[in-house]
Amino acid sequence: MTETVRVAVPRKGRPLEAVLERFATTESIAEVADEITSTLRYEKSVTKGHTQPEHDVYERLADYSDLSDPAAPEYTLLRDDRDGMPRRIVFDSVVLEIDGVDIHLVGREEPFRALRTHEFGLGFDSADLVLEEVVKLRPEGLGSIEDVNARIDPMDTDVRVVSGLGDTVYHTLMADPELLPPGSELDRDFVANYAGDLCISPRYERLVEAVLGTRCLDDVTFAYPDDAPEEEAAIAETGLGVYLTMTGSTAREHGLVLGEHLFPSETVLMENVAEATPAAETVKRAIASPELETELKV
């Protein structure tokens, strides 16, 4: 009898697409992954108001799910946080077969927390959440997967990061060029010698503290964006900040210079080491190969 390994994954967006791409090791799996990605991108367009569907959400949900095949992709409805709290179609589950093991990908709003409660042995989520929730704050900053795991208290959780998927967007220092003395570099050392406001998103306060290190922040006060339509606009108003960027084009449009890439925000494979099984090890080997490109060094 084929053993099944349940894996917690995000329900939508870039992280889920990164996971599906990583599992697409055969043509048949790639077709299923493309189907899921296309469906959710269409539903995102509907959510954003860019597409007007012919059928209502319940009819579309029934059309997407083949209940006669227990391995086929399934979807579910969640309340969206827009005005009126409309329902949104998101990923629920699919079963894939790799190296003789059935892998049941199960959608969760918070995969990392599902691993922490031992609901799953393996899962994928943003590396940011690990830093926000369980990494200890220290005077020195961090920037690698070894640093992350070394700062997880084994008494707090059995979850460890295995590898990243390379879908990288960087937490990056950004500053008004007038703030920088001639010839200076916009990096951690600059922040350590800086006194004043640092603009960040409120939810990333602990993450920024972990990445920069508490010593860098002795004379720094966190400032938070107001109602500016773009985070970069708030940073330009403050003078210095940290925000996610891939190319930095929007930051430059606001006259900001880009500094050090502090930490790669990417989807990571995690395991609950207390739930390890031989079948789970097979899955890890299949999806965490050394050839995998990632900004997190294994």
Side-chain angles (χ1 to χ4, degrees):
M1 181 177 178
T2 302
E3 186 168 356
T4 299
V5 176
R6 298 169 68 250
V7 181
V9 301
R11 287 198 180 276
K12 61 184 183 298
R14 176 176 62 90
L16 176 59
E17 291 186 16
V19 172
L20 292 172
E21 288 173 6
R22 188 66 194 99
F23 276 102
T25 56
T26 66
E27 184 175 345
S28 59
I29 295 178
E31 289 179 359
V32 174
D34 288 345
E35 174 191 339
I36 296 170
T37 296
S38 297
T39 298
L40 294 180
R41 286 183 178 179
Y42 175 80
E43 288 300 322
K44 179 180 179 180
S45 181
V46 172
T47 299
K48 297 293 185 180
H50 301 152
T51 300
Q52 300 299 321
E54 295 182 6
H55 304 286
D56 68 30
V57 67
Y58 299 100
E59 293 174 308
R60 300 198 307 277
L61 180 64
D63 183 55
Y64 295 150
S65 298
D66 180 4
L67 300 182
S68 66
D69 182 357
E74 294 183 17
Y75 304 85
T76 191
L77 294 176
L78 291 180
R79 288 291 185 187
D80 193 83
D81 59 5
R82 293 170 296 153
D83 291 343
M85 301 290 285
R87 290 186 179 273
R88 178 174 181 174
I89 293 178
V90 295
F91 174 75
D92 190 60
S93 74
V94 70
V95 177
L96 310 172
E97 190 276 324
I98 295 179
D99 295 341
V101 175
D102 282 345
I103 303 170
H104 187 190
L105 303 184
V106 183
R108 285 290 182 268
E109 280 299 285
E110 299 173 332
F112 173 57
R113 291 170 183 167
L115 263 71
R116 292 193 71 188
T117 57
H118 296 257
E119 186 180 351
F120 294 84
L122 293 173
F124 294 86
D125 213 333
S126 169
D128 294 352
L129 291 178
V130 183
L131 268 64
E132 290 169 16
E133 295 208 3
V134 297
V135 166
K136 288 186 173 181
L137 301 180
R138 294 181 181 173
E140 302 79 18
L142 58 78
S144 73
I145 195 169
E146 291 89 349
D147 291 338
V148 171
N149 283 335
R151 294 195 187 185
I152 294 177
D153 185 348
M155 299 298 292
D156 182 41
T157 179
D158 291 313
V159 179
R160 300 293 182 272
V161 178
V162 178
S163 68
L165 298 190
D167 57 329
T168 309
V169 180
Y170 292 97
H171 292 284
T172 304
L173 280 170
M174 303 178 182
D176 184 326
E178 295 184 2
L179 198 66
L180 299 174
S184 64
E185 297 290 333
L186 182 55
D187 54 18
R188 285 178 171 83
D189 290 338
F190 174 85
V191 179
N193 295 313
Y194 169 81
D197 289 340
L198 178 72
C199 185
I200 64 170
S201 174
R203 64 165 292 193
Y204 286 128
E205 183 170 319
R206 183 181 173 86
L207 181 149
V208 171
E209 288 178 325
V211 170
L212 283 173
T214 56
R215 182 181 294 118
C216 279
L217 301 171
D218 285 344
D219 298 314
V220 168
T221 301
F222 287 136
Y224 307 109
D226 48 22
D227 295 328
E230 295 174 333
E231 299 272 355
E232 291 90 338
I235 293 174
E237 184 176 337
T238 302
L240 180 67
V242 177
Y243 190 55
L244 289 167
T245 184
M246 181 176 293
T247 65
S249 58
T250 306
R252 294 187 184 95
E253 289 174 3
H254 289 282
L256 297 169
V257 295
L258 299 179
E260 183 178 353
H261 290 325
L262 299 173
F263 192 81
S265 175
E266 63 181 289
T267 307
V268 292
L269 167 63
M270 299 169 294
E271 66 173 333
N272 186 311
V273 295
E275 304 297 331
T277 65
E281 288 298 317
T282 299
V283 176
K284 281 172 54 181
R285 288 195 298 271
I287 58 182
S289 66
E291 294 80 16
L292 182 61
E293 293 183 3
T294 173
E295 293 298 330
L296 291 176
K297 303 296 187 280
V298 178

